[in-house]
Coordinates of all heavy atoms in Angstrom, one line a residue:
V296 N 90.7 114.5 111.4 CA 91.4 113.3 111.3 C 92.3 113.2 112.5 O 93.3 114.0 112.6 CB 92.3 113.2 110.0 CG1 93.0 111.9 109.9 CG2 91.4 113.4 108.7
A297 N 92.0 112.4 113.5 CA 92.6 112.7 114.9 C 92.9 111.2 115.5 O 92.1 110.2 115.4 CB 91.8 113.3 115.8
T298 N 94.1 111.1 116.2 CA 94.4 110.0 117.0 C 94.4 108.6 116.3 O 93.9 107.6 116.8 CB 93.7 110.0 118.3 OG1 92.3 109.9 118.1 CG2 94.0 111.2 119.0
N299 N 94.7 108.6 115.0 CA 94.7 107.2 114.2 C 96.2 106.8 114.3 O 97.2 107.6 114.3 CB 94.3 107.5 112.8 CG 92.9 107.9 112.7 OD1 92.0 107.3 113.0 ND2 92.8 109.3 112.5
H300 N 96.3 105.5 114.1 CA 97.8 104.9 113.9 C 97.8 104.5 112.5 O 97.0 103.6 112.0 CB 97.9 103.7 114.8 CG 99.3 103.2 114.9 ND1 99.9 102.5 113.8 CD2 100.4 103.3 115.9 CE1 101.1 102.3 114.1 NE2 101.4 102.7 115.3
F301 N 98.8 105.2 111.8 CA 99.0 104.7 110.3 C 100.3 103.9 110.3 O 101.3 104.3 110.8 CB 99.3 106.0 109.5 CG 98.2 106.9 109.2 CD1 97.6 107.7 110.3 CD2 97.7 107.0 108.0 CE1 96.6 108.6 110.0 CE2 96.6 107.9 107.8 CZ 96.1 108.7 108.8
L302 N 100.2 102.7 109.7 CA 101.4 102.0 109.4 C 101.6 101.6 108.0 O 100.6 101.0 107.4 CB 101.4 100.7 110.3 CG 102.6 99.7 109.9 CD1 103.9 100.3 110.1 CD2 102.3 98.3 110.6
R303 N 102.5 102.1 107.4 CA 102.9 101.8 105.9 C 104.2 100.8 105.9 O 105.3 101.4 106.2 CB 103.1 102.9 105.0 CG 103.0 102.5 103.5 CD 104.4 102.6 103.0 NE 104.5 101.8 101.9 CZ 105.1 102.2 100.8 NH1 105.8 103.4 100.7 NH2 105.3 101.4 99.7
D304 N 104.0 99.6 105.5 CA 105.3 98.8 105.3 C 105.2 98.1 104.1 O 104.4 98.3 103.1 CB 105.6 97.9 106.6 CG 104.3 97.1 106.9 OD1 103.3 96.9 106.1 OD2 104.5 96.3 107.9
H305 N 105.9 97.0 103.9 CA 106.0 96.2 102.8 C 105.1 95.0 102.8 O 104.9 94.4 103.8 CB 107.4 95.8 102.3 CG 108.2 97.0 102.0 ND1 108.1 97.6 100.7 CD2 109.3 97.5 102.6 CE1 108.9 98.6 100.8 NE2 109.8 98.5 101.8
E306 N 104.6 94.7 101.6 CA 103.9 93.2 101.4 C 104.8 92.2 101.7 O 105.9 91.9 101.1 CB 103.3 93.2 100.0 CG 102.8 91.7 99.6 CD 101.6 91.4 100.3 OE1 100.5 92.1 99.9 OE2 101.7 90.4 101.2
P307 N 104.6 91.3 102.7 CA 105.6 90.3 103.0 C 105.2 88.9 102.3 O 105.9 87.9 102.5 CB 105.6 90.2 104.6 CG 104.0 90.6 104.8 CD 103.6 91.4 103.8
W308 N 103.9 88.8 101.8 CA 103.6 87.5 101.4 C 103.7 87.4 99.9 O 103.3 88.2 99.0 CB 102.0 87.5 101.7 CG 101.5 86.1 101.7 CD1 102.2 84.8 101.8 CD2 100.1 85.7 101.4 NE1 101.3 83.7 101.8 CE2 100.0 84.2 101.5 CE3 99.0 86.5 101.1 CZ2 98.8 83.6 101.3 CZ3 97.8 85.7 100.9 CH2 97.7 84.3 101.1
T309 N 104.4 86.2 99.6 CA 105.0 85.9 98.2 C 104.0 86.1 97.1 O 104.2 86.5 96.1 CB 105.6 84.5 98.2 OG1 106.5 84.4 99.2 CG2 106.2 84.2 96.8
P310 N 102.7 85.5 97.2 CA 101.7 85.6 96.1 C 101.5 87.1 95.7 O 101.0 87.3 94.5 CB 100.6 85.0 96.7 CG 100.9 84.1 97.6 CD 102.1 84.8 98.3
F311 N 101.6 88.2 96.5 CA 101.2 89.5 96.2 C 102.5 90.4 96.0 O 102.2 91.7 96.0 CB 100.2 90.0 97.1 CG 98.9 89.3 97.0 CD1 98.7 88.2 97.8 CD2 97.9 89.7 96.1 CE1 97.4 87.6 97.8 CE2 96.7 89.0 96.1 CZ 96.5 88.0 96.8
L312 N 103.7 89.9 95.9 CA 104.9 90.8 96.0 C 105.0 91.7 94.9 O 105.5 92.9 95.0 CB 106.2 89.9 96.1 CG 106.4 89.2 97.4 CD1 107.7 88.4 97.1 CD2 106.5 90.1 98.5
E313 N 104.4 91.4 93.7 CA 104.5 92.4 92.6 C 103.3 93.4 92.3 O 103.2 94.0 91.4 CB 104.7 91.6 91.3 CG 106.0 90.6 91.4 CD 107.2 91.4 91.7 OE1 107.4 92.5 91.1 OE2 108.0 90.9 92.4
V314 N 102.4 93.5 93.5 CA 101.2 94.0 93.3 C 101.3 95.3 94.1 O 101.9 95.4 95.1 CB 100.1 93.2 93.8 CG1 98.7 94.0 94.1 CG2 99.7 92.1 93.1
D315 N 100.7 96.5 93.4 CA 100.7 97.8 94.2 C 99.4 98.6 93.7 O 98.6 98.0 92.9 CB 102.0 98.5 94.1 CG 102.2 99.1 92.7 OD1 101.2 99.1 91.9 OD2 103.4 99.1 92.3
N316 N 99.2 99.8 94.3 CA 98.0 100.5 93.9 C 98.4 101.5 92.9 O 97.6 102.5 92.5 CB 97.3 101.1 95.1 CG 98.3 102.2 95.7 OD1 99.5 102.3 95.4 ND2 97.7 102.9 96.8
G317 N 99.6 101.6 92.4 CA 100.0 102.5 91.3 C 100.3 103.9 91.7 O 100.7 104.7 91.0
L318 N 100.4 104.1 93.1 CA 100.9 105.4 93.5 C 102.3 105.3 94.0 O 102.7 104.4 94.6 CB 99.9 105.9 94.8 CG 98.4 106.0 94.5 CD1 97.8 106.4 95.7 CD2 98.2 107.1 93.4
D319 N 103.0 106.4 93.7 CA 104.4 106.5 94.2 C 104.6 107.2 95.6 O 103.5 107.6 96.2 CB 105.4 107.2 93.2 CG 105.0 108.8 93.0 OD1 104.5 109.3 93.9 OD2 105.3 109.2 91.7
D320 N 105.7 107.2 96.1 CA 106.0 107.6 97.4 C 105.9 109.2 97.6 O 105.9 109.6 98.8 CB 107.3 107.2 98.0 CG 107.2 105.6 98.2 OD1 106.5 105.2 99.2 OD2 107.9 104.8 97.3
L321 N 105.7 109.9 96.5 CA 105.4 111.2 96.7 C 104.0 111.8 96.9 O 103.7 112.8 97.3 CB 105.9 112.0 95.5 CG 107.4 112.1 95.0 CD1 107.8 112.7 93.8 CD2 108.2 112.7 96.3
H322 N 103.2 110.7 96.8 CA 101.8 111.0 97.0 C 101.4 111.4 98.3 O 100.4 112.2 98.6 CB 100.9 109.7 96.5 CG 99.4 109.9 96.6 ND1 98.6 109.8 97.5 CD2 98.6 110.3 95.5 CE1 97.4 110.0 97.3 NE2 97.4 110.3 96.0
G323 N 102.0 110.7 99.5 CA 101.6 111.0 100.6 C 100.9 109.8 101.3 O 100.1 109.1 100.5
L324 N 101.0 109.4 102.5 CA 100.1 108.4 103.2 C 98.7 109.0 103.5 O 97.6 108.4 103.5 CB 100.8 108.1 104.6 CG 102.1 107.5 104.5 CD1 102.5 106.9 106.0 CD2 102.2 106.4 103.5
L325 N 98.7 110.3 103.8 CA 97.4 111.0 104.0 C 97.4 112.3 103.1 O 98.4 113.2 103.2 CB 97.4 111.5 105.4 CG 96.2 112.7 105.9 CD1 94.9 112.1 105.5 CD2 96.4 113.1 107.2
T326 N 96.5 112.4 102.2 CA 96.4 113.5 101.3 C 95.0 114.3 101.5 O 94.0 113.6 101.7 CB 96.5 113.1 99.9 OG1 95.5 112.3 99.4 CG2 97.8 112.4 99.6
I327 N 95.1 115.7 101.4 CA 93.9 116.4 101.6 C 93.7 117.5 100.5 O 94.5 118.2 100.2 CB 94.0 117.0 102.9 CG1 94.1 116.1 104.1 CG2 92.9 118.1 103.1 CD1 94.2 116.8 105.4
N328 N 92.6 117.4 99.9 CA 92.0 118.4 99.0 C 90.7 118.9 99.6 O 89.7 118.2 99.7 CB 91.8 117.8 97.7 CG 91.1 118.8 96.7 OD1 90.2 119.5 97.0 ND2 91.4 118.6 95.3

Side-chain angles (χ1 to χ4, degrees):
V296 182
T298 61
N299 300 285
H300 188 288
F301 291 72
L302 169 61
R303 190 265 161 131
D304 60 3
H305 288 294
E306 170 70 73
W308 196 24
T309 304
F311 292 97
L312 287 180
E313 302 305 316
V314 168
D315 63 28
N316 65 352
L318 299 177
D319 65 32
D320 290 290
L321 296 176
H322 186 273
L324 302 186
L325 166 62
T326 62
I327 296 177
N328 175 323

